[in-house]
Amino acid sequence: MIFYFSGTGNTRWAAEQLAQATGERLLSMAEELRSGNGCYELSEGERIGFCFAVHGWQPPHIVRQFIRQLRISGAEGHFCYALVTCGDSIGCTIEMLGSELAAVGLRVESAFSLVMPESYVCLPFMKTDTPEREQQKIAQAREDLARYAQLIVERRAGEMHLVKGPAPWVLSHVIGAYFNGQMISDKKFRVDADACIGCGLCERVCPTGNVVLTDGRPQWRHDGSCTCCLACYHHCPKHAINYGSITRKRGQYYFGRNNSR
């Protein structure tokens, strides 16, 4: 069983590859939360995987929310692992995940980080990677994921293949704490009415259902469900959605936009 959360597709792609390698079920955390389903039963020998994109060197709040309501019958003895995607480094994300899982009776036995193309562009110094860098990262990620998948198939415990970055505690507990506490909000999203074509793609790709089309234009619910994954921004075919004024001249990225699955 693989639980995943993905905004711009990097993690969904990785989780799909793991599902193919293991032959196990793939479940979206966002969809499971919306359905109200929090209880699961494992098949004999089934692994338990958690795949998600790192947000500000921490697990996204939607991942924490999902885990806190999670109940898995007979989880003892089933191999549990995590694979997280990031633009460069993950800080103490796995340690934080471990604390959340311990509260529901689970333990991360192996963990992996996968560097993928950058998608967060809402700070002045944050931009998408160049097309060349995107391709380099994806090519390396394919190689790394193939190795990780084999370790997962073999249920190899104690494998920690993580890019934590410099001063990981500071990244997660100081910078990441501020980022996730103060900067995860949908209040700055704007739509250029002249550019918007009312296609509804932003509404369809939002993993939390936070975007709704009203009179042919996207509106954000402002109900705390936004994770700032930027799926709405990156998928807009007319670049009509922006986060304040910062992203108006920034690039767009989602997995599959300039590369094949």
Side-chain angles (χ1 to χ4, degrees):
M1 183 179 296
I2 302 171
F3 300 109
Y4 80 94
F5 172 70
S6 182
T8 53
N10 284 335
T11 308
R12 184 179 64 245
W13 166 75
E16 288 171 348
Q17 302 307 302
L18 293 181
Q20 289 180 9
T22 60
E24 292 173 350
R25 293 174 285 174
L26 187 61
L27 299 172
S28 162
M29 295 188 206
E31 291 178 8
E32 294 299 298
L33 273 174
R34 287 201 297 270
S35 73
N37 183 27
C39 299
Y40 305 88
E41 291 187 8
L42 295 168
S43 302
E44 184 177 353
E46 190 171 13
R47 303 163 190 83
I48 308 169
F50 295 90
C51 300
F52 56 87
V54 173
H55 285 187
W57 298 285
Q58 292 188 2
H61 70 75
I62 190 172
V63 173
R64 297 172 188 258
Q65 182 184 358
F66 174 79
I67 291 172
R68 289 170 185 175
Q69 55 83 54
L70 179 64
R71 299 294 180 270
I72 300 180
S73 301
E76 185 176 351
H78 289 262
F79 180 68
C80 180
Y81 67 92
L83 183 141
V84 299
T85 62
C86 61
D88 51 23
S89 61
I90 68 167
C92 295
T93 295
I94 296 303
E95 290 83 352
M96 291 178 161
L97 174 66
S99 297
E100 296 286 349
L101 291 176
V104 296
L106 295 173
R107 181 174 67 88
V108 177
E109 295 178 72
S110 289
F112 313 89
S113 63
L114 200 64
V115 176
M116 297 288 289
E118 184 63 67
S119 62
Y120 191 77
V121 293
C122 296
L123 289 172
F125 55 88
M126 299 292 288
K127 297 181 180 180
T128 52
D129 294 314
T130 64
E132 294 76 18
R133 183 60 178 145
E134 280 184 18
Q135 294 303 316
Q136 291 170 359
K137 282 187 172 182
I138 291 170
Q140 185 62 56
R142 291 185 189 277
E143 293 182 16
D144 293 340
L145 186 57
R147 290 189 291 107
Y148 299 161
Q150 187 59 41
L151 295 173
I152 291 167
V153 167
E154 295 173 0
R155 296 177 170 84
R156 294 272 294 273
E159 298 285 348
M160 295 291 170
H161 300 261
L162 306 172
V163 180
K164 291 188 173 186
W169 193 92
V170 173
L171 289 175
S172 292
H173 293 278
V174 179
I175 302 173
Y178 178 82
F179 175 84
N180 284 285
Q182 304 296 323
M183 301 185 67
I184 303 299
S185 170
D186 59 5
K187 293 181 180 179
K188 290 187 177 181
F189 281 109
R190 302 287 185 269
V191 59
D192 183 342
D194 293 331
C196 178
I197 58 175
C199 66
L201 183 57
C202 52
E203 181 181 50
R204 295 195 297 275
V205 300
C206 177
T208 65
N210 183 55
V211 181
V212 292
L213 225 60
T214 303
D215 297 327
R217 297 291 181 266
Q219 299 288 329
W220 288 262
R221 294 184 186 275
H222 306 314
D223 61 359
S225 63
C226 181
T227 67
C228 271
C229 70
L230 302 184
C232 56
Y233 163 81
H234 286 293
H235 281 84
C236 180
K238 297 298 182 180
H239 208 316
I241 292 174
N242 282 285
Y243 191 81
S245 61
I246 293 176
T247 61
R248 290 189 182 278
K249 294 184 179 180
R250 297 288 168 89
Q252 293 173 291
Y253 167 83
Y254 58 84
F255 191 90
R257 180 181 174 91
N258 295 314
N259 54 82
S260 61
R261 289 180 182 272

